[in-house]
């Protein structure tokens, strides 16, 4: 009878790091996500957490919720919520609704499609400040728009330094994003679905209403959310083409004035936190509505 002697484990016999990670359900490629994760932590998570804890430190002391109590008890501050929503929601709706017929027409082969797409997306390169400056120059009472109206005997229209001017600026700067997103969603819908309906006698209105629109609606909800967030954080337009101390005093202006005019950084942080909560509530409502829509496959060509 011979005794077996076990050999001590050598480094070569030990499982490699790749196998050890695989046993824990981790892949080596996940390491590539670390730079992006660090970027998010440094530039998003940390500022949000810092601003949150700063909002509970009132400048004049007292209750940790003093800044929030002050915001909701001061009508001049509290009304900024409704002013911002009154700008952001219509702007997002206009951008989404305006993008549907244009993207629907351009999803197929259209002559000059690249040129038209470039034209629609061009406002992205301008930025909000340059867009506001252009509106000030062209929609001013002495600008070319009102001069043309004067040639037809129409009185000058007041289109800047008010609600209308800010809304126009938000539509111009937000439409390209809504158009590109809507076009991408429409391009993913299989055209043979409409072709099959056409062979059954459905005209283009019925095809759009009962086939394209139900398939497109979940994507439109996402498009609305993104354009709403873009419009909700409006600042330059509200200052340049709006009335920052009146009908266009949005939440971002209130936060800016509290932090950098009154040097009350805790109150400014509290307003910023309330802004985030309001945006999340609206987005949550839209996504809840989206969950009731069609969520199956769209018959994409890819």
């Amino acid at each position: 009878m011979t005794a077996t002697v076990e050999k001590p484990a050598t480094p070569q016999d030990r499982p490699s790091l790749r196998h050890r990670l695989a046993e824990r359900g981790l892949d080596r490629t996940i390491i590539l996500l670390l730079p992006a994760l660090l970027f998010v932590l440094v530039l998003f998570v940390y500022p949000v957490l810092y601003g949150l804890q700063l909002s509970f430190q009132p400048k004049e002391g007292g209750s940790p919720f003093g800044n929030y109590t002050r915001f909701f008890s001061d009508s001049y501050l509290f009304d900024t919520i409704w002013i911002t929503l009154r700008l952001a929601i219509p702007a997002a709706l206009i951008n989404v609704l305006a993008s549907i017929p244009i993207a629907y027409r351009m999803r197929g082969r259209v002559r000059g499609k690249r040129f038209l797409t470039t034209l629609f997306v061009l406002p992205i390169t301008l930025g909000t400040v340059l867009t506001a400056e252009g509106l000030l120059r062209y929609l001013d009472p002495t600008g070319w728009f009102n001069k043309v109206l004067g040639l037809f005997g129409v009185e000058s229209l007041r289109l800047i330094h008010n609600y209308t001017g800010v809304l126009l600026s938000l539509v111009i700067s937000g439409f390209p994003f809504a158009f590109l997103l809507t076009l991408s969603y429409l391009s993913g819908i299989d055209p043979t679905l409409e072709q099959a309906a056409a062979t059954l006698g459905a005209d283009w209105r019925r095809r759009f209403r009962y086939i394209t629109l139900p398939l497109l609606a979940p994507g439109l909800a996402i498009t609305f959310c993104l354009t709403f967030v873009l419009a909700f954080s409006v600042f330059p337009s509200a200052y340049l083409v709006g009335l920052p101390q009146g009908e266009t005093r949005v939440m971002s202006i209130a936060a800016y004035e509290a932090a950098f005019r009154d040097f009350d950084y805790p109150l400014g942080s509290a307003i910023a936190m309330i802004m985030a909560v309001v945006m999340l509530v609206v987005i949550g409502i839209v996504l809840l509505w989206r969950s009731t829509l069609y969520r199956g496959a769209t018959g994409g060509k890819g």
Side-chain angles (χ1 to χ4, degrees):
M1 181 177 180
T2 58
T4 58
V5 180
E6 295 183 358
K7 295 181 179 180
T10 61
Q12 291 78 9
D13 298 330
R14 296 175 182 173
S16 63
L17 176 61
R18 179 180 179 182
H19 288 87
R20 292 200 299 270
L21 291 175
E23 291 175 353
R24 293 172 173 80
L26 300 175
D27 191 89
R28 191 167 52 179
T29 56
I30 294 180
I31 299 176
L32 299 175
L33 297 177
L34 292 180
L37 180 61
L38 182 62
F39 181 84
V40 172
L41 289 174
V42 173
L43 295 183
F44 179 74
V45 176
Y46 172 74
V48 169
L49 294 179
Y50 178 79
L52 181 62
Q53 65 89 22
L54 184 62
S55 68
F56 292 109
Q57 301 175 8
K59 182 180 180 181
E60 300 177 356
S63 171
F65 299 96
N67 288 321
Y68 295 95
T69 303
R70 177 181 173 185
F71 178 88
F72 288 104
S73 60
D74 188 344
S75 60
Y76 190 55
L77 291 174
F78 180 72
D79 288 345
T80 58
I81 295 179
W82 311 117
I83 293 174
T84 310
L85 289 174
R86 198 165 65 92
L87 279 167
I89 293 179
L93 286 174
I94 292 173
N95 285 327
V96 172
L97 294 177
S99 68
I100 295 174
I102 300 175
Y104 184 78
R105 182 67 181 85
M106 294 184 60
R107 65 173 179 165
R109 294 182 179 180
V110 178
R111 187 175 182 180
K113 181 176 180 179
R114 292 184 178 181
F115 172 76
L116 292 174
T117 302
T118 303
L119 191 64
F120 288 133
V121 178
L122 187 61
I124 294 179
T125 64
L126 301 179
T128 55
V129 175
L130 192 57
T131 300
E133 289 291 341
L135 289 175
L136 287 173
R137 185 171 297 273
Y138 295 122
L139 299 182
D140 188 81
T142 59
W144 71 266
F145 182 79
N146 281 304
K147 286 183 178 180
V148 172
L149 292 181
L151 296 176
F152 295 94
V154 180
E155 296 184 0
S156 297
L157 300 178
R158 184 170 174 266
L159 300 174
I160 56 173
H161 300 306
N162 55 12
Y163 173 89
T164 304
V166 180
L167 183 62
L168 288 173
S169 177
L170 293 177
V171 170
I172 293 172
S173 59
F175 175 79
F177 296 98
F179 168 71
L180 290 176
L181 288 171
T182 304
L183 182 61
S184 66
Y185 285 120
L186 278 169
S187 299
I189 298 177
D190 193 341
T192 58
L193 298 175
E194 290 190 62
Q195 294 171 7
T199 60
L200 297 176
D203 58 11
W204 70 270
R205 294 183 181 85
R206 295 175 65 86
R207 294 197 302 268
F208 178 80
R209 178 180 178 183
Y210 295 107
I211 297 177
T212 305
L213 188 58
L215 295 174
L216 181 62
L220 292 179
I222 300 298
T223 303
F224 174 86
C225 290
L226 294 177
T227 53
F228 168 78
V229 170
L230 182 66
F232 193 84
S233 58
V234 57
F235 182 83
S237 300
Y239 243 114
L240 295 174
V241 295
L243 197 63
Q245 301 305 323
E247 59 180 327
T248 65
R249 188 172 186 268
V250 293
M251 296 186 73
S252 58
I253 292 179
Y256 172 81
E257 291 178 347
F260 300 104
R261 186 193 66 183
D262 303 332
F263 299 103
D264 193 342
Y265 298 107
L267 178 59
S269 298
I271 297 175
M273 293 299 109
I274 295 172
M275 282 184 65
V277 171
V278 174
M279 281 192 293
L280 290 175
V281 168
V282 175
I283 292 173
I285 293 174
V286 175
L287 293 182
L288 182 63
W289 169 75
R290 178 182 182 271
S291 66
T292 64
L293 302 176
Y294 176 80
R295 291 177 292 175
T298 59
K301 296 173 288 184

